[in-house]
Amino acid sequence: MSTVGAAFRLARAGWVLVREGVVSALPGEELSGLPKFGWRMARLFTRRRALAYKRGDRLAKAVVRLGPSYVKLGQFLATRPDVVGNDMALDLALLQDKMHTFPQAEAIAAIEASLGRKIGELYASFDGAVAAASIAQVHSAETVHEGVASRVAVKVIRPGVRRRFFHDLESYFLAARLQEKYIPSSRRLRPVEVTETLAQTTKIEMDLRLEAAALSELGENTKDDPGFRVPSVDWERTGRDVLTMEWVDGVKMNDIAGLAEAGHDLKAIAANLIQSFLRHTLRDGFFHADMHPGNLFVEADGTIVAVDLGIAGRLGKKERRFLAEILYGFITRDYLRVAEVHFEAGYVPRQHNVSAFAQAIRAIGEPIHGQPAETISMAKLLTLLFEVTELFDMATRPELILLQKTMVVVEGVARTLDPAFNMWKTAEPVVGDWIAGNLGPRGLLVDARDGAKAMLALARQAPDLAVRTERLSREIDLMAEHGLRFDETTARAIGKAEARYTRSGRLALWVIALTLLYIAWRIF
């Protein structure tokens, strides 16, 4: 029955996308056979008023009709241009995470259930919602500590949102499995794995304790950074369904007129934003991955305050070195070194030729050097780079794609503040300092120290490794003598799972087909 419900929800979502003109806005002229027939039918069923909207507006209206989980799905897919294509990813990135507020009484009930205390014990005052998104909404409140009153922001999870997401995730998994089974060309994109990543990301975002931990970590990383900070967390009033943090008084970064009226230096703010983002990425390997202007405030002294850290990105040391050497290689026009870094990091399979890959890198880099520095986009450069690496079988790297998406957004905000923004000149101090510290003599000493620690840890594990190696050797000998065998229980479980999977897929297709026939009958 769960599969039947998921199929009905999936059919409804498809119908909404058709009616709002999202499907008809896709490039279908190059299709053939059944897909092109389906695209033409979608054009017939599109609402007439939807034809007047651009593709991005059609998508936004469809997502609003489908509900909050589809807003989150769209924002997640915006980080995966390898799955949905660059044009669609850009449209999805523009989706606004703004929803209707829910009643204050429900917010109070969620807070009291999460923290186990009455609202009057937690806050001196608790006001109405000031903002609402797909997963939570924010209230203004006041706390009193040692006789001193402080204004705070209280983020509360939407009632029932977890159940709604769970049901919609069933539909996403059904669609992914059907896609893998019946569209072989899509298997390289691993739709089921993509859906699993979405499920895990959403689970993390729906536990506000984890967002509080991310704010705390980023706050510690940036406590000595000039001109950037995040709000402090009130841990006493924070739980799974509620996050209480410092109230931020400032001008939102999407209010350009307000920033200018407050006397802020827009060029300085743009430079500070980019340098802060690169500093977090290269130095700490932990960055705010949703830095759109609605999540950024500028205080009276020019300090940037970032809020809403539900989505965060991490880069390991190898990925940070990869990024820094790429940027430095493009600056110095050392395309062979850029290519070698890809092979050293294991991103491009060894069967490819390094020189041929360097030639492809040169095709990206050379046009850049003939342009004024202020017209060169670092985000666009990374986008082109990832497009080229696909030709050389570079596997999808989710952490690099999230970085690329965030850099596109941050650079776009900076250029909104300063149309003549010079990305390379602004980034040079941060990138140069990181390269000097990590790729120069100082970096060699750090690598040697880390290597010594790793060797010491390995030596301590030597006795255990020897025992495990001996056990593995015996098991391999037994396998070579008797072959690999499943016990009766395992074989029976595999057979049942395969039968259930086949029945579920067929049942889902019948439900979708019958639903579409019913819709067509109602229309005609």
Side-chain angles (χ1 to χ4, degrees):
M1 292 305 295
S2 176
T3 303
V4 172
F8 270 114
R9 287 189 292 271
L10 192 61
R12 175 185 173 270
W15 176 243
V16 170
L17 292 174
V18 167
R19 291 291 283 164
E20 294 298 337
V22 176
V23 177
S24 64
L26 298 174
E29 295 294 348
E30 298 179 1
L31 298 176
S32 60
L34 190 60
K36 188 163 187 175
F37 173 75
W39 177 73
R40 285 178 172 170
M41 291 296 294
R43 297 184 69 181
L44 290 176
F45 292 129
T46 300
R47 294 179 189 271
R48 288 188 177 181
R49 66 171 180 265
L51 297 174
Y53 298 120
K54 296 180 180 178
R55 185 177 62 190
D57 295 331
R58 297 184 192 184
L59 187 62
K61 289 181 179 296
V63 166
V64 168
R65 283 187 61 188
L66 289 170
S69 57
Y70 281 86
V71 173
K72 198 53 61 182
L73 172 65
Q75 292 175 333
F76 172 78
L77 291 177
T79 69
R80 299 300 303 268
D82 58 316
V83 175
V84 298
N86 286 325
D87 292 340
M88 182 60 75
L90 290 174
D91 288 338
L92 291 169
L94 296 176
L95 287 176
Q96 294 296 307
D97 198 0
K98 295 179 180 178
M99 307 294 290
H100 295 298
T101 60
F102 55 87
Q104 185 169 336
E106 294 184 10
I108 291 174
I111 292 171
E112 292 179 342
S114 183
L115 299 179
R117 296 166 64 185
K118 292 295 183 181
I119 196 74
E121 300 174 14
L122 295 165
Y123 306 101
S125 65
F126 187 82
D127 301 325
V130 295
S134 57
I135 288 180
Q137 70 182 26
V138 178
H139 291 257
S140 171
E142 193 175 73
T143 61
V144 177
H145 181 66
E146 296 181 353
V148 179
S150 301
R151 193 180 182 192
V152 293
V154 184
K155 188 173 183 178
V156 189
I157 286 287
R158 281 185 174 275
V161 71
R162 290 189 181 88
R163 183 176 64 255
R164 176 69 183 272
F165 266 83
F166 173 75
H167 288 151
D168 285 336
L169 277 172
E170 288 183 334
S171 302
Y172 303 160
F173 274 110
L174 175 60
R177 290 194 296 268
L178 292 174
Q179 185 179 355
E180 280 197 355
K181 185 172 184 179
Y182 295 105
I183 309 178
S185 61
S186 70
R187 290 172 188 164
R188 68 178 185 85
L189 300 175
R190 302 173 182 174
V192 173
E193 289 186 22
V194 170
T195 309
E196 288 171 349
T197 303
L198 169 63
Q200 180 63 22
T201 302
T202 305
K203 287 177 184 176
I204 291 174
E205 197 170 353
M206 286 188 186
D207 190 333
L208 296 184
R209 294 169 297 187
L210 300 181
E211 180 178 346
L215 283 168
S216 177
E217 182 177 352
L218 190 58
E220 289 182 5
N221 291 344
T222 60
K223 62 183 178 181
D224 297 324
D225 289 359
F228 184 92
R229 70 182 190 89
V230 292
S232 58
V233 175
D234 183 343
W235 285 100
E236 181 186 351
R237 296 169 179 83
T238 294
R240 188 185 72 151
D241 296 340
V242 56
L243 165 59
T244 303
M245 56 193 152
E246 166 195 1
W247 183 268
V248 177
D249 280 315
V251 182
K252 275 194 175 183
M253 205 170 281
N254 55 7
D255 184 3
I256 305 298
L259 291 172
E261 186 178 342
H264 291 296
D265 184 342
L266 301 187
K267 292 185 177 182
I269 293 174
N272 182 22
L273 177 64
I274 290 295
Q275 290 182 347
S276 295
F277 169 70
L278 289 173
R279 196 177 290 119
H280 307 159
T281 303
L282 293 175
R283 181 192 65 193
D284 308 322
F286 180 66
F287 59 92
H288 192 311
D290 195 17
M291 292 182 75
H292 64 76
N295 284 341
L296 300 170
F297 292 82
V298 181
E299 295 182 310
D301 63 353
T303 298
I304 297 172
V305 185
V307 300
D308 195 2
L309 198 49
I311 304 175
R314 292 189 183 274
L315 289 181
K317 191 171 183 179
K318 182 175 72 172
E319 286 76 22
R320 283 181 269 165
R321 177 173 295 178
F322 168 75
L323 174 64
E325 289 216 53
I326 280 179
L327 298 179
Y328 190 70
F330 275 107
I331 291 171
T332 59
R333 301 175 72 176
D334 189 351
Y335 305 120
L336 181 60
R337 180 56 191 154
V338 174
E340 289 172 346
V341 169
H342 280 76
F343 281 81
E344 289 172 8
Y347 294 147
V348 177
R350 288 287 177 181
Q351 69 262 24
H352 291 288
N353 184 278
V354 177
S355 298
F357 188 56
Q359 179 184 350
I361 299 296
R362 181 180 292 272
I364 299 171
E366 282 304 299
I368 288 176
H369 285 280
Q371 301 178 28
E374 61 269 16
T375 66
I376 301 172
S377 167
M378 186 185 295
K380 185 176 181 181
L381 184 148
L382 288 180
T383 300
L384 293 172
L385 178 65
F386 292 149
E387 286 178 0
V388 167
T389 53
E390 286 182 13
L391 300 176
F392 289 82
D393 303 318
M394 176 173 163
T396 298
R397 308 289 305 188
E399 70 280 7
L400 296 182
I401 290 174
L402 186 59
L403 169 70
Q404 173 198 350
K405 173 254 184 183
T406 308
M407 187 170 287
V408 168
V409 173
V410 173
E411 189 175 11
V413 175
R415 291 191 186 276
T416 302
L417 296 169
D418 178 13
F421 180 73
N422 187 325
M423 182 69 173
W424 300 96
K425 184 177 180 181
T426 306
E428 186 178 356
V430 178
V431 177
D433 181 66
W434 193 90
I435 287 175
N438 291 271
L439 303 184
R442 196 170 19 151
L444 292 175
L445 290 175
V446 172
D447 288 345
R449 183 195 64 194
D450 292 343
K453 287 182 179 179
M455 289 296 293
L456 181 60
L458 186 63
R460 288 173 177 170
Q461 297 176 32
D464 183 53
L465 289 174
V467 172
R468 289 160 64 183
T469 302
E470 182 182 359
R471 187 186 307 131
L472 178 62
S473 177
R474 288 199 302 268
E475 290 176 356
I476 291 174
D477 288 342
L478 289 172
M479 191 183 300
E481 184 177 350
H482 301 290
L484 179 63
R485 297 185 179 184
F486 291 123
D487 59 34
E488 185 178 350
T489 303
T490 302
R492 190 161 47 245
I494 291 174
K496 286 182 178 179
E498 181 62 26
R500 185 167 56 251
Y501 174 79
T502 303
R503 286 197 303 270
S504 298
R506 289 175 179 170
L507 180 60
L509 287 175
W510 274 108
V511 169
I512 292 172
L514 291 172
T515 303
L516 292 176
L517 286 173
Y518 173 75
I519 292 170
W521 175 75
R522 293 284 295 177
I523 290 175
F524 294 112

